[in-house]
Each structure stands twice: as C-alpha cells, then as structure tokens.
C-alpha cells in the first residue's frame, strides 16, 4: 500500500515542464533510431545500449573496476563512432536539416516527361548492353557528389543520356546526377558500399549504386554492362530484372505518386 501511496505522491510532483522534457528526449531517440535504421550504425547503436546497461548495472552493484573499464570504453567508443560512421552521421544530419519539398502540379508534369526520357534511354542502353548509372536526387542534397564530376545543367533527354554512356566517350565512366528535372552532372564518383549482402555476380557499378543509396534518399538506376538488366536501388535494396513497363511504373510511383501524396498531406496538415 505504501508503494502505491509513494507512486501517487511522485506523480503529484511532476510538472508540465517535466512532461515536455521527457517528450523531447523520447522524440529525439525515436528519430535517431529512424535515421539509423537499415544502416551499419544500427547494430553498433544496439551494442552501445547493451554496454550502457551493463555499465549502469556495474555502478548499482558497486563493481568499481568493471565500472571504470566500461567508462573508459565508452569514451573511446564515442571517438570510434564519429570516425568510422562519419558518412552515416552526415547523412542523418542532412535529413534532419533538409527543408520541406514543394512538389507542384507543374513539377509533376515535368517529372513525368523526365521519366519518359529516362526510360527510353535506359531501355535503349539495355538492349545494346551498355552500362549506365543514374542517380535521381530527392530531398537529401548530393552537391559533394556533383562536384566530383563534370557539371552540365542540361534538360533530361534520352539522346543526351545515351550519348553520355556510349563507351570511350569523355563522360561515360561514372554516374549521372539528375535533380529537379535537370542533368546536373556526369562522370561523378560514388562511394562504394561495404555491404556483404550484395550478390557476388554484381560489379562495381551496382556496389556504387548501393553505396550512394545508403547515404541518401536518392533513387538509383543501373543498367548492367554484362547482361543488360535494369535495376533500381533505394535505401540499399536492389530491385533487379525490370522490364520497360515495370521500370517506368516504379519510377512513376517513386517520383510522382509519392510526392503528390506528400504534398496533399502537407496541405491537409496546414489546414
């Protein structure tokens, strides 16, 4: 009975500011897990939570030596995480700081035209078994990737995309970055993924596509030079063996339908 009374008395001491304080911390932890989900840092975060629980238990049981070792380990681990997981941390901060995306009806029409041109180019390259790598920027900026290549700023056209990837031309080696219905740059260098889940039969082009998709919310299109197969990569996941119709539908769903739904939700929230 005393426990219940003490609990009720403790509740009476809770202030509104305490509730706000707890809500902010809970939201921050939730966003942290959301941003690190399906990344290399996720498992490390779980490991650190276990270490923190073990360190707290050592303090409660007055295990001074174990507690000291745990505290030293956590100090070193903080520096280790910053160095090793710098790309994931930067991506997470970019997602926190990115602004709201305004996707108007006019923009949607332009994107449909971009999709048509991209599908026409990739299917042509697929038939010829010419390798291609195209990154479609969304909310997370890719300026550092753009700077690694040759700036173009051209309208998206199937003819231009095909010419870029023709072997032995100056811009064929590397990735094309498309943003706001413009070809921003070509011959860009992408970070390679360290994932062990990528099939051994896939080469550097696919590994680079997975690498950039792990670090941003972009959509990546790959045409295999060996087989001519078209793949779409998002958040580290590879969707292979797409024919022309399924490829076009996938792009339309990702670049038009989802964005229109997002805009409608934002308008509804404002009302």
């Amino acid at each position: 009975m005393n426990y219940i009374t003490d609990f009720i008395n403790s509740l009476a001491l809770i202030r509104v500011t305490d509730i706000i304080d707890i809500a902010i911390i809970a939201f921050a932890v939730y966003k942290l897990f959301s941003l690190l989900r399906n990344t290399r840092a996720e498992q490390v975060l779980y490991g650190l939570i276990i270490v923190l629980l073990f360190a707290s238990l050592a303090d409660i049981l007055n295990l001074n030596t174990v507690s000291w070792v745990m505290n030293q380990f956590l100090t070193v681990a903080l520096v280790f995480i910053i160095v090793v997981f710098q790309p994931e941390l930067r991506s997470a901060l970019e997602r926190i700081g990115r602004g709201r995306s305004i996707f108007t009806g006019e923009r949607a029409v332009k994107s449909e035209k971009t999709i048509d041109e991209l599908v026409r180019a990739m299917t042509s390259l697929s038939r010829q078994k010419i390798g291609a790598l195209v990154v479609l920027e969304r909310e997370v900026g890719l300026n550092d990737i753009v700077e690694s290549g040759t700036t173009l700023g051209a309208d998206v056209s199937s003819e231009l995309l095909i010419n870029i990837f023709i072997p032995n031309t100056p811009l064929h080696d590397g990735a094309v970055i498309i943003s706001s219905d413009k070809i921003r740059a070509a011959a860009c260098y992408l970070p390679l993924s360290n994932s062990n889940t990528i099939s051994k039969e896939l080469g550097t082009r696919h590994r680079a596509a997975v690498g950039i998709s792990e670090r941003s919310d972009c959509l990546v299109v790959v045409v295999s030079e060996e087989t001519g197969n078209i793949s779409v990569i998002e958040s580290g996941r590879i969707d292979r063996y797409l024919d022309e119709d399924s490829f076009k539908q996938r792009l339309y769903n990702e670049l038009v339908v989802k964005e229109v739904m997002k805009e409608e939700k934002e308008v509804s929230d404002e009302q």
Side-chain angles (χ1 to χ4, degrees):
M1 191 65 180
N2 290 335
Y3 291 112
I4 297 177
T5 303
D6 292 340
F7 178 72
I8 294 175
N9 292 335
S10 299
L11 290 178
L13 296 175
I14 297 178
R15 301 168 299 174
V16 175
T17 53
D18 295 329
I19 297 175
I20 296 174
D21 194 23
I22 295 172
I24 291 174
I25 295 300
F27 179 76
V29 171
Y30 167 76
K31 292 299 293 183
L32 177 63
F33 275 95
S34 298
L35 292 169
L36 296 181
R37 189 173 63 242
N38 298 325
T39 67
R40 294 183 302 158
E42 181 181 19
Q43 297 303 319
V44 174
L45 182 61
Y46 291 147
L48 283 176
I49 291 174
I50 293 174
V51 172
L52 285 171
L53 293 174
F54 189 70
S56 299
L57 182 61
D59 286 335
I60 294 173
L61 298 177
N62 293 322
L63 303 177
N64 296 328
T65 303
V66 175
S67 179
W68 181 85
V69 171
M70 290 294 99
N71 289 332
Q72 298 304 311
F73 172 78
L74 290 173
T75 302
V76 175
L78 180 61
V79 178
F80 172 80
I81 290 172
I82 294 175
V83 173
V84 175
F85 296 102
Q86 181 268 338
E88 284 82 359
L89 292 173
R90 184 178 67 178
S91 176
L93 290 174
E94 285 178 347
R95 296 189 182 192
I96 292 173
R98 69 192 179 197
R100 292 175 61 187
S101 176
I102 304 301
F103 199 90
T104 64
E106 180 185 0
R107 169 72 181 278
V109 172
K110 288 183 179 180
S111 290
E112 289 182 36
K113 181 179 182 299
T114 296
I115 290 171
D116 290 339
E117 296 293 330
L118 182 58
V119 170
R120 192 177 298 115
M122 296 300 104
T123 51
S124 175
L125 293 170
S126 174
R127 287 192 295 268
Q128 302 174 68
K129 290 188 178 181
I130 296 175
L133 179 56
V134 178
V135 180
L136 301 167
E137 182 185 70
R138 293 201 272 196
E139 291 189 48
V140 176
L142 299 174
N143 288 338
D144 54 335
I145 303 298
V146 170
E147 291 172 357
S148 70
T150 301
T151 303
L152 296 180
D155 291 335
V156 178
S157 70
S158 58
E159 294 82 5
L160 178 55
L161 286 170
I162 291 171
N163 285 333
I164 287 174
F165 290 111
I166 292 297
N168 301 321
T169 55
L171 301 178
H172 88 282
D173 190 17
V176 164
I177 309 297
I178 295 179
S179 175
S180 299
D181 301 313
K182 293 285 186 179
I183 300 177
R184 291 188 62 191
C188 298
Y189 294 98
L190 304 182
L192 298 180
S193 173
N194 294 319
S195 174
N196 295 322
T197 62
I198 300 176
S199 174
K200 300 296 183 182
E201 65 185 71
L202 300 179
T204 304
R205 190 175 282 111
H206 287 82
R207 188 168 288 277
V210 173
I212 190 62
S213 74
E214 290 173 338
R215 302 187 183 191
S216 76
D217 64 345
C218 64
L219 199 68
V220 191
V221 178
V222 178
V223 176
S224 171
E225 187 173 359
E226 290 74 21
T227 64
N229 290 327
I230 298 175
S231 302
V232 172
I233 295 91
E234 181 184 17
S235 301
R237 298 186 298 273
I238 305 177
D239 189 5
R240 303 170 65 187
Y241 308 116
L242 299 176
D243 58 24
E244 182 175 352
D245 291 337
S246 60
F247 174 46
K248 184 175 182 177
Q249 189 62 49
R250 174 69 185 277
L251 293 181
Y252 184 80
N253 290 340
E254 294 292 339
L255 302 177
V256 178
V257 175
K258 283 187 177 181
E259 296 298 339
V260 170
M261 291 175 62
K262 183 189 299 182
E263 180 192 2
E264 292 175 349
K265 184 178 183 301
E266 290 175 351
V267 172
S268 176
D269 292 341
E270 289 176 355
Q271 294 175 347

